[in-house]
Amino acid sequence: MPRVVFREERCKGCELCKEFCPKGIIEMSGIINIMGFHPATVIRMEECTGCAICARMCPDLVIEVEREDKAIG
Amino acid sequence: MAKILMKGNEAIGEGAIRAGCKYFFGYPITPQSELPHYLAKRLPEVGGVYLQAESEIGSINMVYGAAGAGARVMTSSSGPGISLMQEGISYLAGAELPCVIVNIVRGGPGLGNIAPAQSDYWQATRGGGHGDYQLIVLAPDSVQEIIDLINKAFDLADNYRIPVMLLGDGVLGQMMEPVIIEDQYETKAPKEKKWASTGRMGRGSKNLVTSLHIVPEDLEKHNIKLAAKHEEISRSEQIWEEYNTKDARLILVAYGTTARVCKAVVDMFREEGMPVGLLRPVTLWPFPSQILNSLADQADNFLAVEMSMGQMIDDVRLAVNGKKPIHFYGRSGGMLPVARDIYQEAQKLLMEE
Amino acid sequence: MRKVFARPKSMKDMPMHYCPGCTHGIIHRLIAEAIDELNVFEQTIVVAPVGCSVFCCDYFDCDAYGASHGRAPAVATGVKRVLPDKIVFTYQGDGDLAAIGTSEIVHAAARGEKITVIFVNNAIYAMTGGQMAPTTLLGQVTTTTPKGREKELNGSPIKMSEMLSVLDGSAYIARVSVHNPAGIFKAKKAIKTAFETQISGKGFSMVEVLSTCPTNWGMTPLKALKWLEENMIPYYPLGEFKTPTEVV
């Protein structure tokens, strides 16, 4: 099953990942990170397809994507 | 190593090549054109690059890139073009990049004219651009000395990681004299530049060429380091020529073309048995203050002679430090001081005794 | 499980100073990915500009230069002429490249200088406080065009890609945008092509990347992306303006 890992301490809460997630499974967390932002977080990891669109939209390299199949282009 | 006849401007070019300079970036301006003409022909012959930039701003920034990449590199210009380069020169100094900048000074301010002048002295010796920095400034007075100093200029630049300026004028540039020139100048500077930004190529860490220090504590530290370097240069690199100063009661102070005229003036006085001498600064920065200060113990008067309205005289004042009176004679706007006029000015001072 | 998306090797693992939602970070990543994929990290040299991306040379882990405002193409020229086998790229904003640095960029392109330029066009001076840029759109409000940019007073915005593509020396010129995933995909492709153009020695390459500045535009990051799409793209059409095959 694919998995996305968010480095929440690096997130500036811009919401670009949330906006473009095709599954709508990213939300802004209620917590406040060390930089003072509400970081993005995945609410239903089991629905993640590992498409990495969130990671591609993220300006701060917060997101890593792990998957069992081949690397995506 | 036979003696050959060479023009001043060509001597700068050939001297630079024999000092291992393979890169020249410049923009046309009178009266330094023979130098780029010469290098445009010569550099490709030695596997180097002559590149005409879109402006002096372009050329000095190309110098920044080439110097950062570890090459021996030179540019040349004259007054207005050197003014345009000042931003880049400040960056070069800030990033501690070695390079040689030639200024064949012309009459100013503004467009002024293309005749010989020494009115860029302040600009050259006070850094010239923004921020706390100095350039080493060399002022030859003969074609042979051009050759000798251009070699030295590259060594000084590499040894101290500092831009070096060679200050001349149209007279020196056009002058033809016999010179001795070595096939290949033996550099005394370290050849390897570990700081150069050349691509990591397995180095394991990155090299960054920059003058940016965003944190005030860092910039102050950097400026203190630069100041220490300037201090060391000041201590070790002052060059001057004393001409009949031994028993001189009146000492002329002049550099470059003006110093040549002043030598003739000194000869005129000496023929009459008058104790007149010349102190010729060869490094304008660091200014030869120590010798001048000690000469102030023996002389009664100093006469600064310049092709300007009086710029170097500031440094003479600082060096003599109130010990003896300092006088000035200058011509400006491209006019050359004539020996007879300097003689008369000096004679007045001798009569005051 | 294996990582299918991670930080490119050419980028340092450190937080970036850019504002939330600023697309500089995306563009940085695309460049680093291209460098990684072309396997040229060890021979790549970046020339950083003045502006928000003045610190980009901290984020790219390759050898670097800090240039003065607008002069990066001249600095890159000096570097490349000394090191013709290395990969040299500049990263410049619109004030840097299209105002103060027009002379340097035009002549670097005209000479066919074998460098790559990543030109980030966000239609504003950001670092200095949101002033009008040469690429600011007509009617766009900035701190120095409080009533919006007026053609009568300020003229029209400059289309750099179109301008440079008519020069013989330019080999690859493209305009891309990073306002959505499809745009980012194309941007990456263009940036890679630009580097390939340099590697194969074909001449000058530039990718103009339409980018956002949520802070100085006074918008949320999401609104800024929408604004870019609706306002910038109609004036700055995307696409390749010159490709190496057209080079004689």
Side-chain angles (χ1 to χ4, degrees):
Chain A
M1 204 171 64
R3 197 163 71 100
V4 285
V5 182
F6 284 60
R7 282 175 85 172
E8 293 188 357
E9 77 280 7
R10 292 270 175 97
C11 177
K12 293 174 186 160
C14 73
E15 304 188 17
L16 299 196
C17 57
K18 178 185 163 196
E19 172 76 10
F20 288 93
C21 173
K23 294 281 172 188
I25 56 171
I26 301 175
E27 280 298 335
M28 306 318 285
S29 160
I31 63 155
I32 291 173
N33 69 8
I34 194 158
M35 291 193 289
F37 299 111
H38 290 292
T41 187
V42 175
I43 45 169
R44 295 185 301 279
M45 190 66 84
E46 64 280 6
E47 289 179 36
C48 177
T49 62
C51 70
I53 283 176
C54 56
R56 278 168 211 288
M57 285 309 298
C58 176
D60 288 287
L61 286 146
V62 168
I63 307 165
E64 286 190 349
V65 184
E66 293 173 353
R67 221 165 43 184
E68 271 149 17
D69 57 359
K70 274 191 180 166
I72 45 168
Chain B
M1 276 204 318
K3 275 205 165 184
I4 50 168
L5 264 181
M6 244 186 184
K7 251 187 176 184
N9 277 332
E10 292 173 359
I12 299 172
E14 193 55 37
I17 287 174
R18 307 227 182 161
C21 169
K22 287 214 169 135
Y23 301 91
F24 181 95
F25 303 94
Y27 184 82
I29 188 170
T30 311
Q32 55 82 61
S33 298
E34 288 93 346
L35 172 55
H37 297 175
Y38 185 81
L39 288 172
K41 192 166 147 277
R42 275 289 281 142
L43 275 171
E45 290 172 4
V46 296
V49 175
Y50 167 89
L51 190 63
Q52 185 165 319
E54 59 275 10
S55 70
E56 289 88 349
I57 297 171
S59 51
I60 197 69
N61 283 285
M62 291 172 189
V63 167
Y64 180 93
R72 284 199 157 178
V73 55
M74 182 166 83
T75 184
S76 76
S77 191
S78 183
I82 296 288
S83 293
L84 274 176
M85 288 184 186
Q86 290 304 330
E87 177 201 35
I89 296 174
S90 171
Y91 277 65
L92 281 154
E96 297 188 87
L97 293 181
C99 65
V100 175
I101 302 155
V102 177
N103 182 2
I104 303 298
V105 185
R106 55 187 259 175
L111 196 51
N113 62 29
I114 58 170
Q118 295 183 322
S119 45
D120 293 356
Y121 181 93
W122 280 334
Q123 186 194 50
T125 58
R126 267 63 183 167
H130 59 285
D132 271 338
Y133 76 93
Q134 296 279 175
L135 309 175
I136 295 177
V137 185
L138 307 173
D141 81 333
S142 69
V143 181
Q144 183 64 59
E145 199 175 49
I146 285 175
I147 303 260
D148 299 340
L149 286 182
I150 200 81
N151 288 333
K152 193 172 177 61
F154 281 101
D155 277 2
L156 285 169
D158 279 345
N159 278 330
Y160 292 103
R161 289 188 59 185
I162 192 170
V164 177
M165 183 172 278
L166 189 92
L167 215 61
D169 59 55
V171 174
L172 277 170
Q174 297 296 331
M175 186 184 291
M176 204 174 232
E177 284 181 329
V179 293
I180 293 173
I181 184 163
E182 291 180 47
D183 294 341
Q184 185 72 50
Y185 176 71
E186 226 26 79
T187 177
K188 287 162 199 88
K191 284 233 168 84
E192 205 188 352
K193 298 177 179 178
K194 284 187 178 149
W195 48 265
S197 185
T198 55
R200 290 173 51 148
M201 302 307 286
R203 195 192 302 116
S205 63
K206 71 187 281 181
N207 280 349
L208 170 61
V209 167
T210 187
S211 59
L212 174 69
H213 302 271
I214 199 76
V215 180
E217 284 86 345
D218 294 345
L219 182 55
E220 187 184 45
K221 211 184 285 171
H222 179 66
N223 286 343
I224 289 170
K225 183 184 146 203
L226 291 183
K229 175 163 88 178
H230 298 152
E231 187 61 42
E232 193 196 333
I233 296 169
S234 250
R235 232 185 359 256
S236 341
E237 305 296 349
Q238 294 181 16
I239 309 174
W240 66 88
E241 183 195 1
E242 285 179 81
Y243 189 74
N244 281 321
T245 52
K246 209 168 174 218
D247 56 346
R249 311 292 297 176
L250 170 66
I251 293 176
L252 310 182
V253 186
Y255 67 94
T257 297
T258 311
R260 290 177 75 105
V261 185
C262 285
K263 279 179 186 171
V265 175
V266 169
D267 290 347
M268 287 157 77
F269 278 114
R270 287 289 171 177
E271 268 171 37
E272 295 166 15
M274 302 294 282
V276 177
L278 167 73
L279 188 279
R280 176 172 73 91
V282 176
T283 51
L284 303 184
W285 195 90
F287 194 74
S289 308
Q290 289 151 7
I291 180 68
L292 207 49
N293 187 275
S294 59
L295 285 171
D297 294 330
Q298 114 194 5
D300 303 316
N301 273 304
F302 289 89
L303 177 63
V305 186
E306 301 180 57
M307 290 194 287
S308 78
M309 297 309 293
Q311 299 193 7
M312 178 198 62
I313 190 175
D314 285 358
D315 284 334
V316 180
R317 287 192 187 111
L318 286 168
V320 171
N321 202 15
K323 279 187 185 172
K324 295 289 160 59
I326 296 153
H327 311 270
F328 177 73
Y329 178 75
R331 296 298 302 272
S332 172
M335 298 300 292
L336 287 167
V338 185
R340 177 54 50 187
D341 294 341
I342 302 170
Y343 178 89
Q344 279 172 6
E345 201 65 26
Q347 207 171 33
K348 276 188 235 161
L349 297 172
L350 289 167
M351 307 263 269
E352 277 172 19
E353 294 307 306
Chain C
M1 296 284 268
R2 53 191 218 86
K3 277 183 186 156
V4 291
F5 191 98
R7 169 181 299 274
K9 209 180 74 214
S10 300
M11 263 185 102
K12 253 194 182 155
D13 186 8
M14 64 189 286
M16 289 185 277
H17 72 290
Y18 299 113
C19 302
C22 167
T23 43
H24 266 309
I26 298 176
I27 302 163
H28 283 17
R29 198 196 75 231
L30 298 181
I31 295 167
E33 283 177 0
I35 293 169
D36 283 4
E37 287 167 25
L38 294 165
N39 202 20
V40 290
F41 168 67
E42 294 285 343
Q43 53 262 51
T44 296
I45 296 165
V46 56
V47 182
V50 169
C52 285
S53 46
V54 69
F55 296 114
C56 77
C57 52
D58 290 342
Y59 306 140
F60 296 115
D61 210 12
C62 53
D63 268 11
Y65 290 74
S68 53
H69 199 27
R71 320 298 175 214
V75 172
T77 298
V79 177
K80 186 76 182 187
R81 294 295 176 134
V82 174
L83 305 167
D85 300 333
K86 300 291 159 53
I87 311 305
V88 183
F89 78 98
T90 72
Y91 189 101
Q92 302 177 258
D94 41 44
D96 188 271
L97 181 139
I100 196 165
T102 42
S103 170
E104 285 73 20
I105 192 67
V106 166
H107 289 276
R111 285 191 304 267
E113 214 60 64
K114 293 175 186 69
I115 59 170
T116 298
V117 172
I118 306 300
F119 166 39
V120 178
N121 177 1
N122 61 8
I124 208 156
Y125 282 82
M127 180 71 106
T128 45
Q131 296 87 359
M132 179 188 71
T135 50
T136 291
L137 297 175
L138 289 178
Q140 187 183 338
V141 172
T142 70
T143 49
T144 49
T145 53
K147 291 177 184 164
R149 179 174 182 155
E150 298 167 61
K151 191 175 177 180
E152 204 49 40
L153 180 65
N154 307 114
S156 294
I158 297 183
K159 297 174 177 176
M160 287 307 295
S161 289
E162 287 85 338
M163 251 178 79
L164 296 179
S165 63
V166 299
L167 297 172
D168 284 352
S170 63
Y172 182 72
I173 306 279
R175 185 185 287 121
V176 295
S177 170
V178 289
H179 69 287
N180 63 25
I184 289 171
F185 181 76
K186 285 183 192 150
K188 163 75 176 295
K189 206 163 154 256
I191 288 168
K192 204 168 163 184
T193 307
F195 278 103
E196 282 167 341
T197 303
Q198 179 179 174
I199 291 166
S200 58
K202 289 193 180 113
F204 177 88
S205 55
M206 182 180 91
V207 179
E208 174 177 349
V209 188
L210 301 184
S211 177
T212 64
C213 180
T215 301
N216 285 296
W217 291 359
M219 298 173 197
T220 64
L222 292 175
K223 244 187 148 168
L225 292 181
K226 195 127 195 79
W227 191 88
L228 184 163
E229 185 175 9
E230 289 170 358
N231 298 277
M232 287 183 76
I233 294 177
Y235 188 82
Y236 296 114
L238 307 182
E240 289 177 329
F241 294 88
K242 186 106 167 247
T243 55
T245 49
E246 296 167 40
V247 181
V248 190

